[in-house]
Amino acid sequence: DSHSTSRSGSGSRSGSFVARPNEHTRFKWQTKMLFDLLKSVRQKTDQHGFFSKPIDPDLDECEDYYDVVNINDAMSFDTMQEMIERAGSGETRGDGVITSLQEFKSCL
């Protein structure tokens, strides 16, 4: 009896323990993939860093920037990196996080 109780107890602990690391591992893998993809896109498309920082129309002397780009659609590579980092630290819902390739592509 003690053997079956012990086995049953460890089986239930093991079952819940295994599920969490697998989900966490998958999520870490997705986050790493998104970071690697962002790095690759930056290296290929923005060698001079023009799209690294968010545009400040006043400081960057382009006052009509938001006449051309919708303020809700404005994006920079640094902002995308922050959004992936937030997702990697556990935020998974709502605006302001990138957790999938689809979300990544929509930010580009």
Side-chain angles (χ1 to χ4, degrees):
D1 282 335
S2 67
H3 180 69
S4 64
T5 304
S6 165
R7 187 174 175 200
S8 155
S10 69
S12 67
R13 272 185 274 140
S14 174
S16 65
F17 178 76
V18 171
R20 291 179 123 177
N22 286 340
E23 182 177 324
H24 180 70
T25 300
R26 180 181 57 82
F27 193 68
K28 280 181 67 173
W29 177 84
Q30 284 179 307
T31 301
K32 182 182 177 342
M33 179 204 54
L34 292 168
F35 273 127
D36 291 346
L37 181 58
L38 180 61
K39 181 179 177 181
S40 177
V41 169
R42 281 181 110 152
Q43 288 173 343
K44 291 178 183 178
T45 63
D46 193 30
Q47 296 173 353
H48 301 288
F50 293 124
F51 302 105
S52 289
K53 303 276 183 221
I55 297 292
D56 181 322
D58 296 325
L59 291 175
D60 296 323
E61 298 180 14
C62 53
E63 294 79 23
D64 60 348
Y65 178 74
Y66 292 123
D67 293 339
V68 177
V69 176
N70 182 324
I71 193 167
N72 296 323
D73 295 332
M75 187 58 61
S76 71
F77 288 130
D78 285 357
T79 302
M80 290 178 70
Q81 181 171 332
E82 291 170 8
M83 293 168 78
I84 295 169
E85 287 171 355
R86 279 195 297 272
S89 68
E91 290 182 46
T92 58
R93 296 278 183 244
D95 293 336
V97 295
I98 298 175
T99 60
S100 68
L101 283 174
Q102 183 177 359
E103 291 169 345
F104 184 94
K105 286 169 47 176
S106 73
C107 289
L108 288 177

